[in-house]
Amino acid sequence: QVRPVESGGGLVQPGDSLTLRCVLSGPGFRIYNIAWFRQAPGKERELVAAINWSAVKTFYADSVKGRFTISRDIPTSSVSLQMNKVKSDDAAVYSCAAGRGENYYSLPIEESKYGFWGQGTQVTVSP
C-alpha cells in the first residue's frame, strides 16, 4: 500500500512560479503512474498532469500546456509539478494520486485508474 503526500502549496501572485511535490510513501514507487488533479470551489475535479511509471509518457490538460511540467525522481520516490506563469484560474486544491502501472507506454487519464490519493495542497492565486 502506498500513500501520496503533497507539499508546496501556498499563496502566489499571477505570473509567479510554484513547485508542488508528491512523495509516495510505501514500497514500489517505480511501478506507479502518478497524476495531479485539482478542484476549485464549485467546480469538478480535473486532471492537470500525469506521468506514467516508466516516465516515457506524460499528459497535460490544455489549460496548463506550456506552463506546467511534471517529472519524477526515483531516488526520492517523488513527483514534482512545476507551475510557471500561474494564473488566477489555477487556484485550487491540488491532489496527487497514484495508480498501478501497466504496459510501458500507457498512461491512464481516468480518475478510476488512480486508487491512492493524498490529502491535497491548496494553491491560492491573488494579486
Side-chain angles (χ1 to χ4, degrees):
Q1 184 110 355
V2 294
R3 186 169 69 94
V5 179
E6 306 96 336
S7 63
L11 173 64
V12 294
Q13 295 183 341
D16 282 355
S17 296
L18 188 69
T19 302
L20 304 184
R21 191 163 178 252
C22 173
V23 176
L24 209 64
S25 64
F29 171 75
R30 289 173 182 258
I31 67 172
Y32 287 91
N33 302 320
I34 305 293
W36 284 97
F37 291 82
R38 71 184 179 187
Q39 188 168 23
K43 294 186 177 181
E44 292 188 359
R45 186 160 59 191
E46 63 172 340
L47 176 62
V48 177
I51 186 166
N52 77 337
W53 66 272
S54 61
V56 298
K57 195 166 181 69
T58 57
F59 169 88
Y60 295 97
D62 287 343
S63 58
V64 307
K65 279 181 183 176
R67 299 189 298 120
F68 291 12
T69 303
I70 190 170
S71 60
R72 61 191 300 152
D73 182 62
I74 294 175
T76 59
S77 297
S78 66
V79 170
S80 295
L81 183 68
Q82 176 67 41
M83 304 166 60
N84 296 328
K85 299 179 181 178
V86 172
K87 302 177 180 180
S88 57
D89 288 347
D90 295 324
V93 174
Y94 285 71
S95 297
C96 176
R100 289 288 295 263
E102 296 178 353
N103 68 59
Y104 192 79
Y105 293 102
S106 70
L107 176 59
I109 61 173
E110 303 89 349
E111 275 193 38
S112 61
K113 296 293 187 180
Y114 295 88
F116 304 96
W117 290 75
Q119 293 296 312
T121 185
Q122 177 74 50
V123 173
T124 303
V125 183
S126 180

